[in-house]
Amino acid sequence: MFSNRGIMKTFCGRANPTTGSLDWVEEGEEYDYHQEIARSCYADMLHDRDRNEKYYQGIRAAVSRVKARGERVIILDIGTGTGLLSMMAVTAGADYCYAVEVFKPMAEAAACIVKKNGFSDKIKIINKHSTEVTVGPDGDMQEKANVLVTELFDTELIGEGALPSYEHAHLHLVQVGCEAVPHRATVYAQVVESEQLWSWAQIQPIQVEECTLLPPAAVTRCAGAPSVCDLQLSQVTPSAFTKLGPLCTMFSVDFSRLVSSTAQSHSCRFVVEASGRAQVVLSWWDLDMDPSGSIVCSMAPSWTYSALREYPWRDHWMQSVYFLPAERSVCEGEELSLTVSHDDYSLWYSLSESDQSDVATPCCTCQAHLLWTRPRFGELNDRRRRECYLSALRSILRPDSVCLSVSDGSLLPIFAHLLGAKKVFSLENSGMSKQVIEQFLEANSLKHSVKLLQIRPEQLTPADVDGEQVSALIGEPYFSTSLLPWHSLFFWYCRTALSCLLRPDATVLPSSATLCLIAVEFQDLWRIRAPCGTCEGFDVSPMDEMVQRSLDFRESREAEPHPLWEYPCRALSKPCSVMTFDFQRCVPEQPISRQGTVPLTGRGRCHGVALWMEYSLTDDITVSMGLTEPVNEEGECVWSPHRKQGVYFLQDAWESSGDGQASVDYRLTFDPNIGDIKMDFSVTRP
């Protein structure tokens, strides 16, 4: 640790997801400050007009009710962010506002925004957690508030600790009988059958030649991980699931009264409307901004709206998918009880014949739900993708093949054995992945068919592979530490470290990876990075300036990982292969650089480029982690739901006429020392 100009700096060791090495990264107060600001999704909330308008209406109504009682209006705004809701309150006639924000950079931004809009005399920014705020002559607040304004919610409603914060506020910071905006939250849920969604929870039996590979009983019986699966449910079409019952109102929370943070359960009885397999619970919530329920902000997905144009898109609040502990056959006309339970921060669901009052928190006991993400479960269940790997393995394996697999918890080594390889070894990164694959081997009486090795690639010796030379190095590649598409190049670094164990004529599958890109116009995702300037008549430009300074601090702009199947976009250019990584050779010592131009041939507003990897398994079999279908004439993009793609947002969106005169220029450099791709994109205008 050292100090420079008064700034304390430390260096922290972090595992590099691409190279696998331990990198020493600067971790100081200023570094954290800029990282958090640059990654902030404040713009999404500020661009959420429906949210802003509903809050404004609710605040005006609450202020009016207090004034009608002849009282001074004192606001407590918990989680103020940019200070927008506090400024709304003062504009609506509040006498004074205490705005609480625990994140220091955001509190500083709020103070700057409040000052720029001329509200410093009526809004006090308090940089504390609300549970640390004090009231009294020497406290943070001079008096208790009679209007409580909050934005403490996440996709699961309570995941940001809303209940403990409300409980403390009612006990210590607000008057009894205070007004609250929002006034009430209500949680809704619906039981459905969905092969697509259920494939994210359980591994299905897999057919390999004449053998059916069964999932271990420990996996099929496991209740799964307790974490919510949050997504843009609007992108899951109604044809992808069958509603087995009505939309149930599970519970409501009245924020104007003392809120309890103790664990609770709520049940709703319903009659099954269609026979099927109860597998998944779809859930969302809405906010009543006033006691009468006339001002409602709803999180319902788009397919619940009669007119799609009325649907308000937002990414800071989405919808939730919960997987039942086990699928259950239900019959039309059967009466069942759906129970939701919650603690301070999370919800979980169960289904039974009778109401339940004490439902244990789901807990993964098989390790698979901790090892694999929900999309990874879907990837392992993808029949078309699996057949690509099986076909590729059939073409390279011989009766004398010695295979070494490198991936995290992959089933490829089991496939290789079932397809007739002489010996199969699997290099596992963690004890957890080794344990999961061991369960698959034992469940299918294959315990001694694949030798599992938990050792770093560079430490592997000939003795570990029984003195054999490896004739086939295989991988998907999939690694749990990967975030961006090129992080899976860790396979390349493993291949390089294992060179001494490979036969000179060894086959490497995949043989290469290609980085691809396409210029796109996003339907909505652009909002998360768009500058705001003004919001509901208030100048919030200091926030834009702070984000830009943070981007400058990072020296270069970066791509971000996003699951693009959830975020519709239109192609404004043709897909372009921009950089190839040859796995037949070792990682080069010198950087790989590419630059070029992608003409904008589609009409629309170019917000940035999407990037993904495609793997050549053999000369004629390729697996894409990005586009899975050719782009049609309308520019529709169909993205793989199993991996996140990279998105590079242009600093200034460009209106393309589609004549090919404008283009996106790219400069890319792969640095083998750090395993990262430095990139820069710009638009050349006609």
Side-chain angles (χ1 to χ4, degrees), residues 34-35 38 547-560 648-649 651 667 669 674 676-681:
H34 288 284
Q35 287 289 85
V547 169
Q548 187 56 53
R549 288 197 302 272
S550 299
L551 293 172
D552 294 341
F553 177 84
R554 292 192 300 175
E555 296 181 355
S556 64
R557 303 186 73 242
E558 301 172 353
E560 306 172 9
Y648 186 103
F649 290 99
Q651 288 185 302
R667 290 185 296 277
T669 300
I674 61 174
D676 200 8
I677 299 177
K678 297 179 180 179
M679 55 186 63
D680 183 59
F681 293 89

Side-chain angles (χ1 to χ4, degrees), residues 50-346:
D50 177 74
R51 163 194 175 271
N52 298 339
E53 289 179 348
K54 300 294 174 55
Y55 261 100
Y56 211 167
Q57 292 170 19
I59 289 170
R60 285 199 299 264
V63 169
S64 296
R65 290 194 298 274
V66 174
K67 283 186 172 294
R69 298 197 293 264
E71 302 175 20
R72 292 177 68 247
V73 180
I74 306 300
I75 305 285
L76 172 60
D77 175 9
I78 301 178
T80 193
T82 59
L84 177 64
L85 302 184
S86 292
M87 293 188 294
M88 288 179 176
V90 172
T91 303
D95 294 283
Y96 201 77
C97 183
Y98 296 101
V100 181
E101 175 56 52
V102 67
F103 182 40
K104 183 178 179 180
M106 194 63 75
E108 292 174 352
C112 184
I113 291 170
V114 164
K115 181 178 180 180
K116 188 163 188 175
N117 286 273
F119 293 112
S120 295
D121 59 333
K122 287 197 171 186
I123 299 176
K124 179 182 179 181
I125 305 296
I126 303 173
N127 179 208
K128 288 184 176 181
H129 193 285
S130 65
T131 56
E132 299 174 345
V133 173
T134 57
V135 179
D138 299 321
D140 302 300
M141 299 170 60
Q142 295 297 300
E143 58 187 312
K144 289 187 175 182
N146 52 14
V147 178
L148 177 58
V149 177
T150 61
E151 208 279 50
L152 298 172
F153 315 113
D154 69 347
T155 293
E156 208 171 11
L157 182 66
I158 64 174
E160 292 185 1
L163 296 182
S165 296
Y166 270 111
E167 185 175 43
H168 178 272
H170 276 286
L171 290 173
H172 302 285
L173 306 178
V174 299
Q175 300 174 18
V176 175
C178 73
E179 301 287 343
V181 182
H183 178 81
R184 181 190 305 109
T186 303
V187 174
Y188 303 93
Q190 189 162 40
V191 179
V192 304
E193 174 184 345
S194 172
E195 181 179 351
Q196 175 185 340
L197 297 178
W198 189 243
S199 72
W200 297 350
Q202 292 289 350
I203 297 295
Q204 305 302 314
I206 297 171
Q207 193 68 33
V208 182
E209 304 301 86
E210 302 303 318
C211 177
T212 300
L213 187 64
L214 299 174
V219 176
T220 58
R221 290 197 304 260
C222 181
S227 57
V228 64
C229 178
D230 56 337
L231 50 78
Q232 292 284 356
L233 201 51
S234 297
Q235 299 309 310
V236 178
T237 61
S239 62
F241 58 87
T242 300
K243 299 176 184 178
L244 302 181
L247 185 64
C248 298
T249 302
M250 299 307 302
F251 69 94
S252 293
V253 182
D254 185 341
F255 297 126
S256 68
R257 299 180 180 181
L258 179 61
V259 172
S260 173
S261 62
T262 59
Q264 298 181 33
S265 293
H266 309 269
S267 295
C268 178
R269 298 196 65 79
F270 70 95
V271 175
V272 176
E273 297 177 343
S275 298
R277 293 173 298 156
Q279 300 167 324
V280 177
V281 176
L282 310 182
S283 182
W284 57 86
W285 47 269
D286 62 27
L287 297 173
D288 290 330
M289 294 298 182
D290 65 326
S292 68
S294 59
I295 307 169
V296 181
C297 185
S298 174
M299 305 311 125
S302 62
W303 33 260
T304 65
Y305 284 72
S306 56
L308 187 57
R309 65 178 179 275
E310 298 174 0
Y311 170 67
W313 183 89
R314 49 177 66 96
D315 202 49
H316 53 103
W317 296 330
M318 293 185 283
Q319 296 81 39
S320 301
V321 172
Y322 298 90
F323 302 95
L324 292 172
E327 66 177 351
R328 173 193 179 123
S329 296
V330 298
C331 297
E332 183 179 352
E334 182 179 1
E335 187 174 353
L336 294 174
S337 181
L338 179 65
T339 299
V340 61
S341 304
H342 69 80
D343 52 22
D344 286 5
Y345 296 95
S346 59

Side-chain angles (χ1 to χ4, degrees), residues 13-80:
R14 288 185 179 176
N16 186 304
T18 309
T19 66
S21 63
L22 186 68
D23 294 343
W24 290 96
V25 181
E26 179 184 322
E27 285 282 19
E29 180 181 353
E30 186 166 326
Y31 178 85
D32 290 341
Y33 173 99
H34 288 284
Q35 287 289 85
E36 291 298 326
I37 286 293
R39 293 170 179 165
S40 170
C41 291
Y42 80 96
D44 175 33
M45 289 184 283
L46 294 180
H47 281 292
D48 188 347
R49 181 170 293 277
D50 177 74
R51 163 194 175 271
N52 298 339
E53 289 179 348
K54 300 294 174 55
Y55 261 100
Y56 211 167
Q57 292 170 19
I59 289 170
R60 285 199 299 264
V63 169
S64 296
R65 290 194 298 274
V66 174
K67 283 186 172 294
R69 298 197 293 264
E71 302 175 20
R72 292 177 68 247
V73 180
I74 306 300
I75 305 285
L76 172 60
D77 175 9
I78 301 178
T80 193

Side-chain angles (χ1 to χ4, degrees), residues 328-512:
R328 173 193 179 123
S329 296
V330 298
C331 297
E332 183 179 352
E334 182 179 1
E335 187 174 353
L336 294 174
S337 181
L338 179 65
T339 299
V340 61
S341 304
H342 69 80
D343 52 22
D344 286 5
Y345 296 95
S346 59
L347 308 176
W348 58 94
Y349 284 85
S350 59
L351 188 66
S352 63
E353 287 84 4
S354 58
D355 296 352
Q356 297 174 288
S357 58
D358 186 17
V359 182
T361 308
C363 178
C364 177
T365 56
C366 71
Q367 305 299 313
H369 297 93
L370 302 178
L371 172 66
W372 295 325
T373 63
R374 298 300 185 185
R376 176 59 173 168
F377 270 91
E379 187 171 57
L380 292 171
N381 284 320
D382 187 326
R383 297 183 187 89
R384 189 169 81 170
R385 173 187 174 278
R386 186 192 313 137
E387 189 52 44
C388 288
Y389 280 94
L390 289 172
S391 296
L393 288 172
R394 290 188 190 101
S395 70
I396 68 165
L397 294 180
R398 302 290 181 266
D400 63 346
S401 293
V402 176
C403 293
L404 175 59
S405 173
V406 180
S407 289
D408 282 358
S410 174
L411 300 180
L412 284 193
I414 302 179
F415 295 168
H417 167 75
L418 296 176
L419 292 174
K422 172 187 171 184
K423 287 189 177 181
V424 182
F425 304 89
S426 181
L427 198 59
E428 300 295 336
N429 260 340
S430 68
M432 186 183 298
S433 63
K434 182 172 179 285
Q435 180 180 335
V436 170
I437 299 304
E438 282 175 343
Q439 292 181 70
F440 272 88
L441 293 171
E442 291 176 3
N444 293 275
S445 302
L446 299 171
K447 186 174 181 179
H448 302 292
S449 301
V450 177
K451 184 176 180 180
L452 303 178
L453 306 168
Q454 188 188 341
I455 189 171
R456 291 184 60 83
E458 64 272 16
Q459 297 173 335
L460 204 66
T461 67
D464 294 313
V465 291
D466 299 344
E468 300 272 9
Q469 277 197 306
V470 175
S471 59
L473 179 67
I474 61 177
E476 299 194 48
Y478 170 83
F479 302 101
S480 58
T481 54
S482 298
L483 292 176
L484 289 161
W486 42 93
H487 287 170
S488 58
L489 290 176
F490 180 53
F491 177 80
W492 200 12
Y493 286 83
C494 292
R495 177 258 182 271
T496 302
L498 297 167
S499 293
C500 61
L501 298 180
L502 303 182
R503 286 173 41 174
D505 61 345
T507 300
V508 180
L509 183 158
S511 60
S512 65

